[in-house]
Amino acid sequence: MRLIISALCLAGIATIALADERMGIVNDDLTKKECGACHMAFPAGFLPKRSWEALMGNLKDHFGEDASLSAESTAAIRDYLLANAADASGKARGFARGLAADQTPLRISELPRFKREHGTFSEATMKKVGSMSNCAGCHRGAEQGYFDDD
Amino acid sequence: MKQNIMALALVTACLALPAVAVPAVAGPRDDIVAGFAAAAKAADPAFTGFDAARGKALYESQNTASAESPSCASCHSASPLKAGKTRAGKAIDPMAVSVTPDRFTDLEKVEKWFGRNCNTVLGRECTAIEKGDFITYLSGL
């Protein structure tokens, strides 16, 4: 019984700690399906509008891969990402805070705040995780929007 | 009399059933392959049929259009019976139809991924013959 209570307390504490780092996950079905076919559908709030525009404007060369979609799907996903971008309400939030206005990062991992929080990893870690775009390789709750489990 | 009519109707319905069911059994994958065969024949009157060995060679071919993705096998795993992995680390269901039965059953999806991946790996579109060979190979494993 004591063990159960302890476990519950720990879980409760963990939840409180994690709540701070909760990131709105993609809740648009088409975006989830199409972006999520190759990588986790990254939360729109991780990048500013101009970054999403640049990405959705060049799916033909998406980091060296052709990720083309129909014109309709491209437009619908672009609209969703822009409406939920880090600076959708005007002021940048999250990782996009402090980003110079003339910078248009295409990778979330290029954001200065992301870099500061992630530091550098050993070759062995990167080999295990595979790619910096594999959030869930380290953050097991990433698909649910939880990132503060490191 | 009424019973006889009922029985007759039932027998007729049962006899009609296979006729209705047969085209459905042929399945969407056969329709997709047939579409590629028609296109292949139109492009080359000498075309006689798809070849699993050519499909295997295409799957395993090493190309130079992309350093990260030189081959289908780069992401889809050397064995189509096994799961693959995208460059971003996400698992891809095995390509072999025997393991992933719904492979190549949705034409829109088939064309979308041939369109993207042929361009990425080969730097060009795939021909109808290549697409048909590829599906034939992966359907026979």
Side-chain angles (χ1 to χ4, degrees):
Chain A
M1 191 59 195
R2 229 153 111 198
L3 205 73
I4 294 169
I5 292 169
S6 304
L8 282 173
C9 286
L10 273 175
I13 291 162
T15 309
I16 292 161
L18 287 170
D20 193 36
E21 293 283 331
R22 183 82 205 268
M23 190 70 204
I25 55 168
V26 171
N27 55 13
D28 175 69
D29 286 344
L30 184 67
T31 306
K32 218 184 317 186
K33 174 181 165 234
E34 295 297 354
C35 302
C38 296
H39 52 71
M40 181 188 139
F42 301 121
F46 275 156
L47 286 173
K49 287 187 277 187
R50 57 186 182 279
S51 296
W52 290 125
E53 284 204 73
L55 285 163
M56 294 309 291
N58 189 23
L59 286 179
K60 191 99 184 143
D61 182 3
H62 191 68
F63 305 105
E65 277 185 46
D66 185 336
S68 302
L69 286 166
S70 69
E72 305 82 64
S73 294
T74 306
I77 292 171
R78 178 184 169 279
D79 288 351
Y80 167 79
L81 292 170
L82 293 189
N84 294 279
D87 55 349
S89 59
K91 201 165 162 262
R93 58 195 164 94
F95 280 146
R97 266 181 294 164
L99 190 67
D102 62 346
Q103 283 182 307
T104 305
L106 297 180
R107 296 174 191 270
I108 295 162
S109 57
E110 281 171 6
L111 295 167
R113 283 182 67 93
F114 178 99
K115 286 202 222 168
R116 204 154 55 225
E117 285 195 26
H118 289 81
T120 48
F121 298 108
S122 69
E123 231 171 90
T125 303
M126 283 317 291
K127 201 173 168 194
K128 195 184 106 210
V129 177
S131 156
M132 213 56 179
S133 40
N134 181 19
C135 303
C138 298
H139 303 285
R140 288 196 295 165
E143 300 272 3
Q144 288 77 44
Y146 296 106
F147 292 91
D148 193 22
D149 51 357
D150 43 312
Chain B
M1 186 62 192
K2 212 171 183 183
Q3 255 179 358
N4 282 345
I5 292 170
M6 287 285 278
L8 192 71
L10 194 68
V11 169
T12 313
C14 289
L15 283 174
L17 223 126
V20 175
V22 164
V25 165
R29 186 162 41 246
D30 296 307
D31 293 346
I32 289 170
V33 172
F36 288 140
K41 187 88 186 157
D44 177 10
F47 170 79
T48 51
F50 295 124
D51 178 25
R54 281 197 310 247
K56 183 178 196 290
L58 175 63
Y59 184 92
E60 293 170 355
S61 68
Q62 294 293 319
N63 305 275
T64 53
S66 160
E68 293 93 352
S69 313
S71 171
C72 307
S74 309
C75 287
H76 287 294
S77 150
S79 164
L81 296 165
K82 293 197 178 131
K85 199 155 121 181
T86 69
R87 279 172 57 209
K90 194 145 185 162
I92 311 172
D93 288 339
M95 290 304 284
V97 169
S98 58
V99 192
T100 312
D102 69 346
R103 281 278 177 223
F104 316 115
T105 53
D106 175 346
L107 181 60
E108 204 181 320
K109 192 174 171 187
V110 166
E111 290 291 24
K112 173 173 124 182
W113 287 101
F114 271 131
R116 289 172 158 192
N117 295 350
C118 293
N119 193 31
T120 299
V121 176
L122 306 175
R124 62 169 175 81
E125 280 182 30
C126 283
T127 64
I129 297 179
E130 286 172 324
K131 293 176 191 175
D133 286 344
F134 192 82
I135 298 176
T136 302
Y137 165 52
L138 295 167
S139 301
L141 292 172

